Amino acid sequence: RQINYMKNAELGFGKEHRVIFSFDFRNEVDVLKNMLLSNTSVINVSNTSAVPGRNTVLDDNVGVMTYEGNEYSLTRTTVDEGYLKTLDLELVEGRFFEKDRFLDNYLFGDDNPNKNYRILLNETAVKTIGLVNPIGAKLRFERLDRNLEVIGVLKDFHLNSLNNPIIPMYFSCFQKNNQIIANISSTDMASTIQFIESEVEKITGNKPSITFLDDEFERQYRSDDKFAELVGYFATLA
């Protein structure tokens, strides 16, 4: 029952009809997104550093933030402005990133001399820090000399299986991530996937390895399924 619960519990985002693939031609991400969105069967497209179900939230993305003299460890994920709608995430308060807002986008060096960045937090991060009014809160990332301003709060969602607790996270907007998520129509998905493969091949010269997001989560529970099967055998034997 516990395993069935984990496999069917609400994860906080939409995983049906989402296809994912790696795309290492980062300077061509905008070109690819426009190509894919020209097909009416492709509803939304996003690029990110962390795909739900792939355990891509790693310890080396953890940064120590300072708020009102206290230190907090938050894990960073980079997303683009399409991440919210592509995964049907819920915005609890504030707003999401907008591509045409200069400071919303992750900038380097001389492009951002004041080192001011805008971020979103998940609910767990808000609780961890103890923010009563998170919108407009200023955090300091001393190691990288960055000032972080909170512009929105995302409802908690599971980037990994329910075996893993939701961790405090912050999100920054970056346009050149290497993981693509596309929300496609449920009508004639095989044809839509062929279209995506051909468009990617025009840029990279190779067809991408496309998988469904719900399949990624299913893989995480295979060891649990085997354990449940063993329990069943031993129960029958007993």
Side-chain angles (χ1 to χ4, degrees):
R1 286 198 300 268
Q2 289 175 331
I3 292 169
N4 285 334
Y5 167 76
M6 287 192 299
K7 293 173 68 175
N8 296 292
E10 177 59 47
L11 297 171
F13 64 91
K15 60 184 173 65
E16 288 77 20
H17 311 139
R18 270 71 174 185
V19 295
I20 54 179
F21 58 92
S22 297
F23 185 75
D24 293 327
F25 288 66
R26 301 191 183 201
N27 290 329
E28 304 295 329
V29 166
D30 279 343
V31 173
L32 176 65
K33 287 197 291 186
N34 289 332
M35 291 167 66
L36 298 184
L37 289 170
S38 68
N39 187 326
T40 56
S41 292
V42 179
I43 302 168
N44 288 299
V45 180
S46 174
N47 78 98
T48 176
S49 64
V51 171
R54 284 193 171 177
N55 293 312
T56 45
V57 180
L58 305 174
D59 290 338
D60 57 4
N61 290 327
V62 176
V64 177
M65 311 295 161
T66 303
Y67 178 73
E68 294 187 345
N70 297 312
E71 294 184 343
Y72 304 93
S73 294
L74 305 181
T75 299
R76 181 171 75 102
T77 293
T78 55
V79 302
D80 67 356
E81 71 286 346
Y83 195 70
L84 183 76
K85 290 184 177 180
T86 301
L87 287 177
D88 280 339
L89 300 175
E90 183 178 338
L91 190 64
V92 176
E93 57 182 302
R95 65 174 181 83
F96 201 67
F97 299 116
E98 297 177 17
K99 190 173 182 178
D100 58 354
R101 292 198 186 218
F102 183 73
L103 289 180
D104 277 15
N105 293 280
Y106 193 83
L107 306 165
F108 296 97
D110 295 336
D111 291 332
N112 192 348
N114 296 321
K115 303 295 179 67
N116 293 323
Y117 297 84
R118 290 172 176 168
I119 63 170
L120 279 89
L121 301 176
N122 67 352
E123 290 177 306
T124 297
V126 171
K127 293 174 185 175
T128 299
I129 300 172
L131 296 173
V132 178
N133 299 303
I135 306 304
K138 304 289 198 307
L139 282 67
R140 175 72 180 164
F141 193 174
E142 199 66 49
R143 182 170 64 86
L144 296 181
D145 187 26
R146 293 173 183 167
N147 304 305
L148 309 177
E149 178 185 354
V150 180
I151 62 170
V153 178
L154 284 175
K155 184 176 179 60
D156 279 344
F157 64 99
H158 289 269
L159 267 171
N160 297 318
S161 73
L162 268 70
N163 289 321
N164 302 282
I166 294 177
I167 58 178
M169 299 188 65
Y170 78 98
F171 302 81
S172 58
C173 189
F174 186 55
Q175 301 293 332
K176 296 181 179 180
N177 301 295
N178 67 342
Q179 299 293 322
I180 303 293
I181 307 173
N183 180 12
I184 65 175
S185 170
S186 59
T187 304
D188 196 7
M189 289 193 291
S191 177
T192 305
I193 291 174
Q194 288 179 352
F195 165 77
I196 294 173
E197 289 176 336
S198 66
E199 296 303 286
V200 173
E201 189 173 17
K202 289 176 184 177
I203 297 174
T204 67
N206 297 293
K207 289 184 179 180
S209 176
I210 295 178
T211 57
F212 281 90
L213 188 53
D214 49 4
D215 287 341
E216 292 290 328
F217 268 88
E218 189 68 26
R219 287 191 187 97
Q220 295 190 68
Y221 298 113
R222 283 179 181 170
S223 60
D224 295 320
D225 286 333
K226 290 178 180 178
F227 174 73
E229 188 176 359
L230 282 173
V231 168
Y233 289 148
F234 283 114
T236 301
L237 180 61

